[in-house]
Amino acid sequence: MERIVACLVLPLLAACGLQPMYAGGPDAGVAQGLAAVAVPAIPGRGGWLVQNALEDRLGIAGDESTRYRLDVRLDDSLEALGVLNDDTISRERRILRARYQLVDTSSGEIVLDATAGSDAGIDVVSSEYATIAAEQKALENLAEEVADRMATSIALALRERARGAAAE
């Protein structure tokens, strides 16, 4: 029964225009484009976390083959959400936003100019150590989430760029 359903659904998926992003594996145009992105140092601990996460996702090939540069500016903020009657904070919200530009290093053209962001809620407990640990863990998780969104956006932009070059 499952095979029959799968056989009926597959032609519908092909008709809707869905295509695998990385068809062709590491030799695919998108994968090669992602590997050719250089990510300069981003200031701060959040910047270091985002840079490492981006390098993991993009599969950086090395400085000799970079074709693109990814310029990133981060905004990391922590704000109080829950304030009790005695003016103590019971909940915080950590927000990580990235403004980034993908630049073609050969022409100086801005291929992509976008933003990505995410936020997380943190319970403030009586232990200061536990609260600081929760804030740091939230930053680590947010850096991963923002890097995922950025990598997806970059992959889509490079795919569209490759389609445009193939059409010409």
Side-chain angles (χ1 to χ4, degrees), residues 64-150:
E64 67 278 351
S65 65
T66 58
R67 178 173 175 194
Y68 303 101
R69 182 184 72 244
L70 184 63
D71 296 327
V72 181
R73 284 192 326 260
L74 282 183
D75 180 26
D76 178 21
S77 63
L78 193 61
E79 59 185 43
L81 282 182
V83 180
L84 301 175
N85 290 340
D86 61 354
D87 288 333
T88 59
I89 299 169
S90 64
R91 188 129 175 98
E92 294 175 330
R93 179 172 148 192
R94 184 153 216 162
I95 304 167
L96 186 64
R97 302 275 182 257
R99 168 81 189 265
Y100 58 100
Q101 291 182 329
L102 183 65
V103 180
D104 186 329
T105 55
S106 62
S107 66
E109 174 191 1
I110 297 175
V111 177
L112 176 66
D113 186 357
T115 59
S118 192
D119 60 271
I122 303 164
D123 288 328
V124 177
V125 294
S126 60
S127 168
E128 187 175 336
Y129 174 78
T131 301
I132 292 170
E135 291 170 354
Q136 294 303 316
K137 185 62 178 173
L139 180 60
E140 292 169 12
N141 292 340
L142 292 174
E144 295 285 332
E145 177 69 28
V146 168
D148 281 342
R149 291 178 185 196
M150 291 171 66

Side-chain angles (χ1 to χ4, degrees), residues 49-71:
L49 290 166
V50 169
Q51 180 186 11
N52 286 340
L54 281 169
E55 289 176 352
D56 288 345
R57 281 152 185 76
L58 300 177
I60 305 295
D63 293 332
E64 67 278 351
S65 65
T66 58
R67 178 173 175 194
Y68 303 101
R69 182 184 72 244
L70 184 63
D71 296 327

Side-chain angles (χ1 to χ4, degrees), residues 3-74:
R3 289 183 184 185
I4 294 172
V5 172
C7 289
L8 294 174
V9 171
L10 286 176
L12 294 175
L13 285 176
C16 75
L18 288 177
Q19 297 174 349
M21 178 81 71
Y22 301 103
D27 295 328
V30 172
Q32 289 179 348
L34 289 174
V37 176
V39 184
I42 306 168
R45 184 171 193 279
W48 178 78
L49 290 166
V50 169
Q51 180 186 11
N52 286 340
L54 281 169
E55 289 176 352
D56 288 345
R57 281 152 185 76
L58 300 177
I60 305 295
D63 293 332
E64 67 278 351
S65 65
T66 58
R67 178 173 175 194
Y68 303 101
R69 182 184 72 244
L70 184 63
D71 296 327
V72 181
R73 284 192 326 260
L74 282 183

